[in-house]
Amino acid sequence: MKQLIDKLYHTTGLEPDEYKTLIDSRNEDLYEYLAWRAREVRTRHYGHDVYIRGLIEFTNYCRNDCYYCGIRKSNRSAQRYRLTDEQILECCRTGYELGFRTFVLQGGEDGYYTDEKVIGIIRSIKKEFPDCAVTLSIGERSYESYKAFYDAGADRYLLRHETADESHYAMLHPEKMSLKNRKQCLYDLKQIGYQVGCGFMVGSPYQTTDHIVGDLLFIKELEPHMVGIGPFIPHHATPFAGKEAGTLELTLYLLAIIRLMLPEVLLPATTALGTIDPRGRERGILAGANIVMPNLSPKSVREKYLLYDNKICTGDEAAECRYCLEKRMESIGCRIAVSRGDHKACIQKTA
Ligand code: 5AD
Ligand code: FES
């Protein structure tokens, strides 16, 4: 099996059946070897720098009803909120002081935020913080909207594909959402010029190894700049309340595989990973990840942006998380970089 890891390391790709074998025959020894290779590749491209992204969860209203998600439309028990433009800018100010040079605007698919409103927010952030990158994570929109946001100064876009398999997609989402549209959005975003991130949940309900192989092949084909993966964690007020969570072990294994497939990829050790294990984020970095995305949202709204149960850091101030993460990264020989942390292949857009 080590030959497969060597092949992946040297050629950055495997055949579908080889991925399947690599995943299904995983054990601790293989993981150690895989993670060692993945760390080597990460260090070659990014040294011991870990990039931080300041996450601003600016609305938890959502028109969608994904079966796994705590802020789905049908969850009547979610207390809904929206941040004002001024509150968003205030988060950026706090973040800038703490060394953040990327702000991620994440929210549900909220019709309140028309293109004009989003453009206004992007412009005001870029005006006050011209040396910072703005990442959007606001779901599916038209090509024209994506283009308008890009022209207003947005640099990056995160849109997890969730699963690359049609029938699995239909088990996770209501009928009116389609994988075809999701993939089209990702290709549109890439074509416009964004640094693009896709991704999926590890251990989502009904996920098989074949689905995961499909996800890896899709990722290889799309060649995104970023890949967000984290364990599925059930939320009590969703149809998947009783489903099992994904595992730390499989998530780490897949992080390492993705690092070898896309050597320069920007790969976060996600909050969900930190939620299922107290040292999950550190272990993610040791598996080849190189990003952490602490929360910059005001403390007052943190417990309201719950995609899953037991989410960490909901009671902590931005500064607490920033220093906590610094210590955590230092404990594994890494350091937090104060920079935009662009993908290697991307020439920085001028402000
Ligand atoms: N567990 C883990 N991740 C989740 N997401 C949504 N709900 C959950 C959950 N219950 C992820 C989805 C989405 C991202 C913002 O959060 O993959 O794209
Ligand atoms: Fe939030 Fe540790 S990162 S408290």
Side-chain angles (χ1 to χ4, degrees), residues 313-328:
C313 301
T314 52
D316 298 290
E317 295 288 357
E320 294 177 73
C321 290
R322 169 67 176 77
Y323 294 114
C324 168
L325 279 170
E326 183 157 296
K327 275 191 268 153
R328 286 171 183 270

Side-chain angles (χ1 to χ4, degrees), residues 19-167:
Y19 282 120
K20 188 170 179 175
T21 309
L22 184 59
I23 295 168
D24 282 337
S25 15
R26 68 187 185 276
N27 59 40
E28 269 179 45
D29 275 359
L30 276 181
Y31 173 66
E32 283 312 320
Y33 187 66
L34 182 64
W36 174 70
R37 287 296 210 187
R39 278 195 298 276
E40 195 257 290
V41 171
R42 186 206 62 206
T43 314
R44 190 191 317 151
H45 295 289
Y46 293 103
H48 290 90
D49 285 355
V50 171
Y51 301 110
I52 48 175
R53 316 296 196 203
L55 190 62
I56 304 170
E57 298 157 334
F58 70 100
T59 171
N60 70 350
Y61 283 85
C62 192
R63 82 172 114 226
N64 289 332
D65 224 2
C66 308
Y67 303 139
Y68 46 83
C69 183
I71 64 167
R72 64 199 300 268
K73 176 176 69 187
S74 298
N75 181 7
R76 296 282 139 69
S77 60
Q79 287 180 50
R80 305 289 169 170
Y81 73 89
R82 293 184 178 108
L83 299 184
T84 63
D85 293 17
E86 188 49 37
Q87 281 177 305
I88 294 172
L89 280 170
E90 202 45 54
C91 293
C92 297
R93 288 177 197 127
T94 307
Y96 195 89
E97 288 300 309
L98 292 170
F100 289 89
R101 295 297 178 267
T102 292
F103 302 117
V104 182
L105 294 171
Q106 185 171 88
E109 291 196 11
D110 181 355
Y112 171 87
Y113 293 94
T114 57
D115 288 1
E116 292 64 41
K117 285 210 173 67
V118 175
I119 288 167
I121 297 168
I122 297 166
R123 288 222 172 99
S124 50
I125 297 178
K126 283 299 221 182
K127 186 166 169 225
E128 195 170 331
F129 307 99
D131 55 334
C132 293
V134 169
T135 303
L136 299 177
S137 178
I138 54 174
E140 297 180 20
R141 299 244 181 168
S142 67
Y143 183 96
E144 291 68 35
S145 302
Y146 286 153
K147 178 80 171 70
F149 301 155
Y150 187 78
D151 291 339
D155 302 273
R156 311 187 187 128
Y157 206 103
L158 305 177
L159 182 69
R160 289 191 178 178
H161 65 283
E162 310 298 358
T163 170
D165 181 271
E166 292 279 359
S167 62

